[in-house]
Amino acid sequence: MNRTARAFWLSSPGEGEIRETALPEPGRDEVLVRSLYSGVSRGTETLVFRGGVPQSQYAAMRAPFQEGEFPAPVKYGYLSVGVVEEGPDELVGRTVFCLHPHQTRYVVPASAVTVVPDTVPAARAVLAGTVETAVNALWDAAPLVGDRIAVVGGGMIGCSVAALLARFPGVRLQLVDADPGRAEVAEALGVGFASPEEALGECDLVVHASATEQGLARSLELLTAEGTVLELSWYGDRQVTLPLGEAFHSRRLVIRSSQVGTVSPARRASRTYADRLALALDLLADPALDALVTSECAFEELPDVLPKLTSGEVPALCHRVRYADHD
């Protein structure tokens, strides 16, 4: 077998290239995976692509199989689905998900891959990392039956959270976004949609994922007294101003952060990272989640497409990358 592969690298901020890389022989407890699809998480990966990771966050932002260092050159990514070509008998031929950068083939420990359930198509399984973030967020948020909830920001993360919240009984739920085009995605997910100006207030919980200070300010306005904003946005190297005067204190509002890098304290004693990812993959059996994949390209096109994703010329939620059969 050919022991080389091709990988996407950020060569310098704003510029990417495909490089050839040598593959090691898989060890006893390793697998060789041939990529079928990978996904570009538009928020985090475009921030990395433009060189926006603050130096203080270099270590926290490392992907599991990243090579190189921020800001560049770096091989970055974490939504990969492929087929095991070599490895333990119980994994050979199975479709798996792995937190690996965009690469045609790769060798990783067998423990680093999670088998994709038969109920989940490989093309949809690239959403596993995003749905895992949504699972962790809802463990942090702990919504209750009958809650009035808004999700502000209809990007990949916000839509994933809304899709899971749509399964909660009795909730009043709106996806809030300034882009009216997100209404179509919301409808596919079975979720109500509103512009920021028309969103319903008196919310018990607002999940904020717009990565804008305007969105965070509006999230606070939508809360009922003693309500909570769960902040999922990551702003990178940008400074954010918040309106914490006026009625913020008298209404006893709460802003709480959530981050997928650690399992939520609410479930840390009883769930592992592997448990969380396996749950996310099970949830992807819902075909409605296909609405989160809004664009696609061949792997060879990635150096040309990522600048367009970063600029917004390609307004994708999840951008899917497909790999040729011969790779």
Side-chain angles (χ1 to χ4, degrees), residues 22 31 148 197 214 238 262 271 290 303 323:
V31 290
R148 297 159 297 185
E197 298 76 22
Q214 296 91 343
R238 289 181 290 139
T262 57
R271 301 291 195 281
D290 284 330
Y323 295 75

Side-chain angles (χ1 to χ4, degrees), residues 117 119-121 124 167 280-289:
T119 54
V120 179
R124 191 187 304 151
R167 307 177 185 204
L281 281 163
D282 285 339
L283 292 169
L284 280 167
D286 184 353
L289 290 165

Side-chain angles (χ1 to χ4, degrees), residues 2-326:
N2 183 6
R3 291 296 178 188
T4 62
R6 290 177 295 138
F8 175 78
W9 280 75
L10 173 63
S11 51
S12 62
E15 294 187 4
E17 63 182 6
I18 292 175
R19 299 182 182 180
E20 191 166 286
T21 183
L23 290 178
E25 288 283 342
R28 183 175 179 179
D29 296 317
E30 294 183 319
V31 290
L32 171 64
V33 178
R34 173 174 56 85
S35 297
L36 297 174
Y37 300 97
S38 60
V40 177
S41 178
R42 188 168 179 264
T44 303
E45 287 197 57
T46 58
L47 187 145
V48 170
F49 188 75
R50 68 174 177 81
V53 179
Q55 189 170 354
S56 64
Q57 297 300 303
Y58 282 2
M61 279 290 293
R62 283 194 69 86
F65 296 101
Q66 174 181 323
E67 293 183 34
E69 302 294 337
F70 299 122
V74 65
K75 183 174 76 175
Y76 192 84
Y78 47 84
L79 301 172
S80 178
V81 176
V83 173
V84 175
E85 293 191 321
E86 297 180 32
D89 290 343
E90 65 271 18
L91 289 176
V92 172
R94 301 299 300 273
T95 300
V96 296
F97 176 85
C98 185
L99 296 167
H100 198 279
H102 309 282
Q103 186 166 314
T104 56
R105 279 189 172 91
Y106 48 88
V107 174
V108 295
S111 59
V113 302
T114 301
V115 174
V116 175
D118 293 338
T119 54
V120 179
R124 191 187 304 151
V126 296
L127 296 167
T130 307
V131 174
E132 183 183 12
T133 300
V135 167
N136 205 61
L138 294 185
W139 283 348
D140 281 333
L144 299 176
V145 173
D147 271 357
R148 297 159 297 185
I149 305 173
V151 178
V152 176
M156 194 172 168
I157 298 296
C159 284
S160 296
V161 171
L164 299 190
L165 282 170
R167 307 177 185 204
F168 278 67
V171 300
R172 187 197 78 187
L173 175 63
Q174 283 189 318
L175 179 66
V176 180
D177 198 280
D179 179 3
R182 292 287 186 258
E184 185 176 344
V185 179
E187 182 179 3
L189 297 174
V191 177
F193 177 83
S195 67
E197 298 76 22
E198 297 173 342
L200 298 174
E202 296 298 309
C203 292
D204 304 289
L205 170 67
V206 176
V207 179
H208 179 240
S210 80
T212 67
E213 62 180 50
Q214 296 91 343
L216 183 50
R218 183 59 177 144
S219 296
L220 289 170
E221 292 173 350
L222 294 176
L223 288 177
T224 191
E226 300 187 353
T228 297
V229 169
L230 188 77
E231 176 60 279
L232 291 181
S233 300
W234 193 65
Y235 300 91
D237 56 358
R238 289 181 290 139
Q239 297 295 312
V240 176
T241 301
L242 274 182
L244 300 183
E246 298 183 353
F248 177 80
H249 288 85
S250 64
R251 297 176 65 213
R252 300 182 62 84
L253 303 182
V254 175
I255 302 174
R256 183 177 181 186
S257 65
S258 178
Q259 212 277 333
V260 74
T262 57
V263 175
S264 168
R267 291 294 179 270
R268 195 173 298 160
S270 59
R271 301 291 195 281
T272 64
Y273 289 98
D275 292 333
R276 190 178 66 183
L277 180 56
L279 173 59
L281 281 163
D282 285 339
L283 292 169
L284 280 167
D286 184 353
L289 290 165
D290 284 330
L292 301 185
V293 180
T294 53
S295 61
E296 185 177 278
C297 73
F299 170 69
E300 293 78 7
E301 299 174 300
L302 202 48
D304 294 325
V305 170
L306 251 171
K308 297 176 182 178
L309 287 169
T310 302
S311 68
E313 183 180 342
V314 176
L317 291 177
C318 177
H319 179 83
R320 187 166 57 207
V321 180
R322 63 181 182 275
Y323 295 75
D325 293 339
H326 63 267

